[in-house]
Amino acid sequence: DAGITQSPRHKVTETGTPVTLRCHQTENHRYMYWYRQDPGHGLRLIHYSYGVKDTDKGEVSDGYSVSRSKTEDFLLTLESATSSQTSVYFCAIRRGRDTGEYEQYFGPGTRLTVT
Amino acid sequence: SQKIEQNSEALNIQEGKTATLTCNYTNYSPAYLQWYRQDPGRGPVFLLLIRENEKEKRKERLKVTFDTTLKQSLFHITASQPADSATYLCALSGGSNYKLTFGKGTLLTVNP
């Protein structure tokens, strides 16, 4: 458990409304990630952050923006939600090991439905 | 473009047998390959990491192989148990190991 929480855990929203998902970590990790997971596509990277105010795009970034004003919080915003953004969203952090290698730890996910 | 294929969407085996899952990739030269387990309604959980210069790695009943010539990783669970039933994901990353690309996963069901 890397102390990752996501809020909200479930959300139903209407097309065209803005939505913000929050990821919070308690262990001060530098790298944080947002993924979406859909049947038939698997996990796909939306955006990631490598420090406060340092973010970059992933594979499926269109329609999403992110912000990281504090180490512990990484926000994902859908400026104007569309039905194609109905998905399960996972936040993750990159955690180092004693071997010098890294792995990712995932939050519990947010299930977003856009109607 | 990079492509990762986990060759079975679903695999059913009998308890006690060895489960073997396959991960193939193209247009990629990963430095690291990782395997994750995901249970329904939960986030993926890290299992094992293997480097490009390692042939094999083991952890308890798990074994991973990495063949960069064949561009393939095999993930084995020996003496499988019903509790091993889950979706298993492989993921690749480059030298800096900060960004992962995931396969779609294989749903393993171990029947008692």
Side-chain angles (χ1 to χ4, degrees), chain A residues 16-20 63-66 76-82 85:
Chain A
T17 59
V19 176
T20 295
Y64 301 95
S65 62
V66 290
L76 177 71
T77 297
L78 291 65
E79 302 289 348
S80 177
T82 68
Q85 293 177 310

Side-chain angles (χ1 to χ4, degrees), chain B residues 20-41:
Chain B
T20 299
L21 285 64
T22 305
C23 177
N24 295 291
Y25 58 91
T26 56
N27 299 324
Y28 203 81
S29 296
Y32 300 90
L33 189 145
Q34 303 183 27
W35 283 89
Y36 289 75
R37 169 184 172 138
Q38 187 174 23
D39 292 288

Side-chain angles (χ1 to χ4, degrees), chain A residues 9 31 33 35 37 40-43 45 48 57 90 94 97 99 101-104 106-108, chain B residues 32 34 36 38 41-46 49 51 54 57 89 96-100 102-104:
Chain A
R9 294 293 314 280
Y31 282 85
Y33 306 83
Y35 293 89
Q37 189 171 38
H41 289 281
L43 268 169
L45 181 64
Y48 66 98
K57 295 179 180 179
F90 288 101
R94 189 184 78 152
R97 302 159 73 211
T99 55
E101 297 163 344
Y102 294 91
E103 62 226 35
Q104 291 190 13
F106 286 79
Chain B
Y32 300 90
Q34 303 183 27
Y36 289 75
Q38 187 174 23
R42 304 179 78 96
V45 174
F46 172 79
L49 178 151
R51 295 174 187 256
E54 296 176 313
K57 187 168 275 190
L89 309 171
S96 56
N97 198 21
Y98 66 87
K99 201 160 66 165
L100 291 176
F102 283 85
K104 294 178 184 178

Side-chain angles (χ1 to χ4, degrees), chain A residues 28-98:
Chain A
N28 223 34
H29 296 287
R30 179 181 170 199
Y31 282 85
M32 298 184 75
Y33 306 83
W34 276 108
Y35 293 89
R36 61 177 290 175
Q37 189 171 38
D38 306 286
H41 289 281
L43 268 169
R44 292 179 292 174
L45 181 64
I46 305 171
H47 283 279
Y48 66 98
S49 169
Y50 47 95
V52 172
K53 293 191 168 66
D54 292 322
T55 65
D56 205 351
K57 295 179 180 179
E59 179 187 353
V60 290
S61 59
D62 287 349
Y64 301 95
S65 62
V66 290
S67 66
R68 193 166 178 201
S69 58
K70 298 186 289 184
T71 299
E72 59 266 34
D73 289 325
F74 192 31
L75 304 181
L76 177 71
T77 297
L78 291 65
E79 302 289 348
S80 177
T82 68
S83 58
S84 65
Q85 293 177 310
T86 292
S87 187
V88 179
Y89 291 85
F90 288 101
C91 173
I93 57 93
R94 189 184 78 152
R95 191 186 212 180
R97 302 159 73 211
D98 293 341

Side-chain angles (χ1 to χ4, degrees), chain B residues 63-102:
Chain B
K63 184 177 86 171
V64 174
T65 63
F66 193 9
D67 189 326
T68 55
T69 301
L70 290 179
K71 294 186 182 294
Q72 181 181 80
S73 173
L74 298 179
F75 177 79
H76 306 273
I77 305 174
T78 58
S80 60
Q81 305 164 1
D84 295 325
S85 298
T87 296
Y88 291 86
L89 309 171
C90 77
L92 308 179
S93 62
S96 56
N97 198 21
Y98 66 87
K99 201 160 66 165
L100 291 176
T101 301
F102 283 85

